Every structure is written in C-alpha cells, then in structure tokens.
Amino acid sequence: MVDGQHLDTVVIGAGPGGYVAAIRAAELGQDVTVVENRFLGGVCLNVGCIPSKALIQAGHNLQTVFHSRAMGIHADDVTLDMGQVHQFKNQTVKRMTDGVASLFKKHHIHVLWGRATITAPGQIRVSHEGEQTDYSYRNLIIATGSRPVTIKNLPIGGRVLDSTGALDLEEVPKSMLIVGGGHIGCELASAYANFGSQVTIMVARSRIMANWEADMAAMAMDDFAAKNVQILTKTRVTQLSAKDDSIEVGYEKDGQLHSTRVDYVVVAKGRRPNTDQLGLEQAGVVLDSRGLIEVNAQCRTNVPHIYAIGDVVSGPALAHKASYQGKIVAAAIAGRDVSTSKRAMPAVCYVNTPLATTGLTAEQARQAGRTDVHSVKFPLLANGRAVTMNSTQGFVRLVYQGRAKWLIGAQIAGVAAEDLIGELSLAIDSGRTVADLANTIAPHPSLGEAVLDCADLALGLPINI
C-alpha cells in the first residue's frame, strides 16, 4: 500500500517480469506498489505472446481440419469466421489480464497508473492525465520491457503495421508482406498463411531465422513452401506508395529494383529496450551501448536498491526470462542468497512445426572453447505417439560433452516442442548426463519417449531406430 509519499518496493511495469516480481515480493513480506502506464500484463499478455498464440492456434486448428483425411476425417465445408477468432483472442487476453488484477488484489499490491520517471536517487515522479506526484522509495525494480524497432522508410500507419497492429486485422488479407524474418515475423507469417493469405517474408540477411540452427530454419522454410509463402532474402524495401485498398512496395534485390502490391505491410524487425525515458541518468544508473541496463547476477544495477529485469537487461528478450528474473529480484530484496545462475534459457518459435532450443548448440559450445562436444538427433518419424498424431515432422537433438556425456544443450523441432523443452532445461541445469535421461521412464506412447530414444542413441544403444 502507498504510505503517504514514501513507498517500500516499487515496480515500474506490469508485464511478465514486473507482475511476477510484484507478486513474489508481496509473498515475501514486502509492501509493493506497481506503476503502469498502459495495462496489467504488459505487451506479452495484451498485444504479444498471448494474443499471437491464440491466432496461431486458430490457424493450426483450421489446417488440422483440412489435413486429416489420412485419419478418415473429410471436411468439405469448412468456414473461417475471423470475427469469432478475434472474439476468442480477446476473451483469452481478458481472462489472463483479469487474472493478474485478481492476484494483485489478493496480495494487496497497489497500482499507480501513469508514467514513472526517476527524478533523483531514491525519488520517482508519476505523471498521469496532466497531474504529477512525487514519491520516495526503498527499493525500485525496473521492468519496463521493450517496443518494436522503428524504420525510417517504413513508418507505421495506415496499411503499414507493426506486430501489434497485425494481430487486430478484422479480415484475412489476400496478401501480406512481412519485413523481418525473426521469430515474430515468422510466427505472424505462419498464422496468416494458415488463414489463407498470400504471404511474403522479406529479410536483409541470407536466410530467415538466422539465430536458429540451419536444419531448424530449413524446417520452417519447408513449411512455408507448402503454404506458398514467398521468402525474399538479401532484400530491402526502398519505397512505399499507399493506394486506396493496397500498398505498393518498391524493393531492391541482387542489385535490381522490383515492386509488388499487397494489402498490408507488417514491420517485424525486432525490439528495443524502454530505457530512454526513465530518467536513469538522474540516479546514475549505468547503461551499455545498446541502451540496456547493466546488472549483476542478482539483477542489481550499480546504484543501491535499484534493480532491472527482462527486456531492459542483456540476454534474450523473452517473457519467461523476465518472470524468472522477477523472482530472483524479489528474493534478493528479501535478503535471500539467490542469483541468476541458470545455464539453460529455453526459446520457442511457434511456426507450423514448433521449434525449441535450450542451453548451447554444438556450434555455440565449440565457439565458447569447449572441447569433446557431440550431438545426436532422433527423428519423430520413429516415435509412436507422433505417428498416431500424424505429426512426424521433426526431431529431438541432444548436445553433450566429455566422457561422461554431460548434457549442455538440446533442440526440438516438432509437435509439442514448446512443452518438451522444459524437461531438458531442468536436466541441463541440474547437471544431468545423457545416461540419466536414458534411464528416465516416460509413459508409452508419448512424445517424451523421443527424448529417451535420443539419449539411447547418444549412448550407442538405440532401440527404436
């Protein structure tokens, strides 16, 4: 609760980092106040992770109906009601954000609506609807997240959308150009291609999903090819010309100028940290050259009692990273001996064939100077559950090191990859070996058996392949 003008623990931002930090801090006995300028749940729950996955799941379900003839399911009169899709998406968002509000109420967390800026060490100002209020605080957690990168020749507006705008299209566009081939761009491409749009992905690099291993990116490209998604690499937009019902895009590829006309252009070129309007310089908080706040293993900044988590600090801009760090910070403030010591930070791309990775890839391990690094891959084609689901595309790969075959990384491509990767993250962080995985018992039939089969293969004792 607010105690006059002095606050105990203040969290700026109510996204997956901020709201988790706030709840855990309250559970540990702190009096917590959250300052939020837009909405509880942040970008993730409102205009990012949750609504995008609702759209992606709807597209998956539609395609499942279309491609279940092998199971004897014939669907000849299937219709798509985009209005109802958005209703489902919006209800999902409301359910999640209402849940955050309910948890805040349960834990007596006070919310100050407005924009927070640091005015001096130990002081913040909250501005809301023309009014300003100054507060002092004991501890401050910065969890302000990130925003889409803007590009000068691709101003957002009209038929040029950012990723947020792409989630709210009332109709299925006949055509869509997505500028950016990272996980955000590829997930949006998958969703709208499944709905029936003619999608083009344009990237400046030599391939899409450049931060993923080549064989995993190749699976995404195969999926896109099956949906007639065009991928233009080493390409850049040169100009835009808005029409009444479309937009003409000029672009350069291989030194030649081309043009195309599409219903919408979606800019998905990554995100930048929200650290430039916080007044961090007033408190002397140190930032790096990318505008990220420098923190130690407890997410403490160089200034006593100021912490930072999530997209505003180094590391992947992932909601679950922010949530994990939020727990660490709350415990650190409570005086507990904690640190962000995890070796495995999972990441997932929700394209048609989901992709997941955790720990190190074999290449990353070797680049880091590790020796005696090996990897082995088990295909889902040999997994009984995948066969019964008619979803045999993909594999499980384990990366291990040394004579004892210590597990240091894993990648999964295929159905339920996002659910299986957590088990492998736990194995890496708890110092398990390939033999430990092989000796685990998984139910039969299950996708989890593919992990055990991959471990057997690494031991040179394969059974199902």
Side-chain angles (χ1 to χ4, degrees):
M1 290 290 292
V2 177
D3 181 17
Q5 302 300 306
H6 180 74
L7 308 176
D8 181 23
T9 295
V10 177
V11 184
I12 305 178
Y19 81 72
V20 168
I23 292 170
R24 180 54 54 86
E27 289 174 333
L28 294 176
Q30 297 161 43
D31 193 356
V32 181
T33 300
V34 172
V35 184
E36 173 54 48
N37 189 46
R38 295 180 66 189
F39 32 46
L40 298 183
V43 167
C44 178
L45 268 62
N46 289 271
V47 294
C49 315
I50 296 301
S52 67
K53 301 314 171 286
L55 284 187
I56 289 168
Q57 189 61 50
H60 278 317
N61 289 357
L62 181 65
Q63 290 300 316
T64 297
V65 172
F66 286 147
H67 296 92
S68 294
R69 287 181 174 270
M71 293 182 171
I73 300 172
H74 301 267
D76 298 319
D77 188 23
V78 180
T79 60
L80 174 67
D81 184 338
M82 203 63 184
Q84 195 165 348
V85 170
H86 282 297
Q87 183 180 356
F88 166 73
K89 178 201 72 177
N90 295 336
Q91 287 174 343
T92 301
V93 169
K94 186 177 186 304
R95 180 175 180 177
M96 298 298 293
T97 54
D98 284 353
V100 174
S102 177
L103 290 168
F104 273 22
K105 182 178 180 180
K106 172 186 176 183
H107 293 288
H108 307 289
I109 296 169
H110 185 71
V111 178
L112 293 175
W113 292 102
R115 186 178 298 277
T117 54
I118 299 172
T119 56
Q123 301 284 330
I124 62 168
R125 176 171 295 159
V126 179
S127 304
H128 181 61
E129 296 181 349
E131 296 184 359
Q132 296 180 339
T133 307
D134 292 331
Y135 302 92
S136 60
Y137 61 84
R138 188 170 69 89
N139 296 292
L140 181 66
I141 302 172
I142 300 170
T144 48
S146 60
R147 61 187 185 273
V149 170
T150 56
I151 304 174
K152 288 184 178 179
N153 65 334
L154 291 172
I156 304 301
R159 291 183 173 272
V160 181
L161 311 172
D162 58 14
S163 56
T164 298
L167 296 176
D168 285 328
L169 290 174
E170 295 181 356
E171 77 284 357
V172 176
K174 291 182 180 179
S175 57
M176 172 184 286
L177 170 66
I178 297 177
V179 181
H183 79 273
I184 295 175
C186 287
E187 287 182 355
L188 288 171
S190 292
Y192 279 100
N194 282 338
F195 288 142
S197 297
Q198 176 59 59
V199 178
T200 300
I201 302 174
M202 185 177 292
V203 294
R205 298 189 179 188
S206 58
R207 68 172 172 90
I208 62 170
M209 302 183 66
N211 294 328
W212 291 77
E213 289 196 283
D215 58 352
M216 302 184 85
M219 290 196 66
M221 288 188 284
D222 288 344
D223 284 339
F224 284 140
K227 296 290 189 304
N228 296 316
V229 174
Q230 184 180 18
I231 300 175
L232 299 175
T233 59
K234 298 182 180 179
T235 305
R236 66 180 185 90
V237 175
T238 56
Q239 66 178 42
L240 300 174
S241 179
K243 309 298 180 183
D244 290 339
D245 59 352
S246 62
I247 184 165
E248 188 169 343
V249 182
Y251 62 95
E252 180 183 349
K253 179 175 175 57
D254 299 328
Q256 297 185 341
L257 297 177
H258 306 267
S259 67
T260 186
R261 184 173 292 192
V262 295
D263 290 346
Y264 292 96
V265 173
V266 178
V267 182
K269 291 284 289 181
R271 303 182 69 83
R272 59 175 297 184
N274 290 326
T275 56
D276 51 342
Q277 298 178 10
L278 288 173
L280 294 169
E281 66 280 0
Q282 301 299 324
V285 175
V286 173
L287 283 75
D288 68 14
S289 59
R290 297 170 294 169
L292 297 169
I293 300 172
E294 295 186 357
V295 294
N296 67 7
Q298 289 192 329
C299 294
R300 298 176 188 263
T301 71
N302 62 300
V303 178
H305 308 295
I306 297 182
Y307 303 77
I309 60 176
D311 291 4
V312 298
V313 302
S314 64
L318 299 169
H320 47 275
K321 181 198 82 172
S323 297
Y324 165 69
Q325 291 177 331
K327 295 177 182 178
I328 294 295
V329 163
I333 292 173
R336 299 192 176 186
D337 184 15
V338 293
S339 67
T340 53
S341 58
K342 296 294 184 184
R343 290 172 287 177
M345 180 60 67
V348 178
C349 187
Y350 292 82
V351 285
N352 278 328
T353 300
L355 308 176
T357 185
T358 190
L360 299 173
T361 66
E363 182 180 1
Q364 288 171 338
R366 294 180 185 117
Q367 287 178 348
R370 298 198 182 206
T371 59
D372 198 17
V373 173
H374 305 275
S375 66
V376 67
K377 184 162 66 173
F378 181 85
L380 291 185
L381 185 63
N383 174 262
R385 181 62 180 134
V387 173
T388 65
M389 298 171 71
N390 197 29
S391 297
T392 57
Q393 305 91 341
F395 57 83
V396 173
R397 176 164 50 223
L398 301 179
V399 183
Y400 52 94
Q401 181 181 15
R403 186 174 180 180
K405 300 187 187 309
W406 299 105
L407 189 67
I408 60 173
Q411 296 83 45
I412 303 177
V415 60
E418 69 274 23
D419 296 318
L420 294 173
I421 203 69
E423 175 184 337
L424 290 168
S425 297
L426 174 62
I428 294 168
D429 276 323
S430 56
R432 300 294 93 188
T433 66
V434 167
D436 292 326
L437 281 181
N439 289 325
T440 302
I441 300 175
H444 176 76
S446 70
L447 296 167
E449 288 179 299
V451 174
L452 312 189
D453 278 317
C454 194
D456 283 338
L457 188 58
L459 294 173
L461 301 169
I463 291 178
N464 290 308
I465 189 174

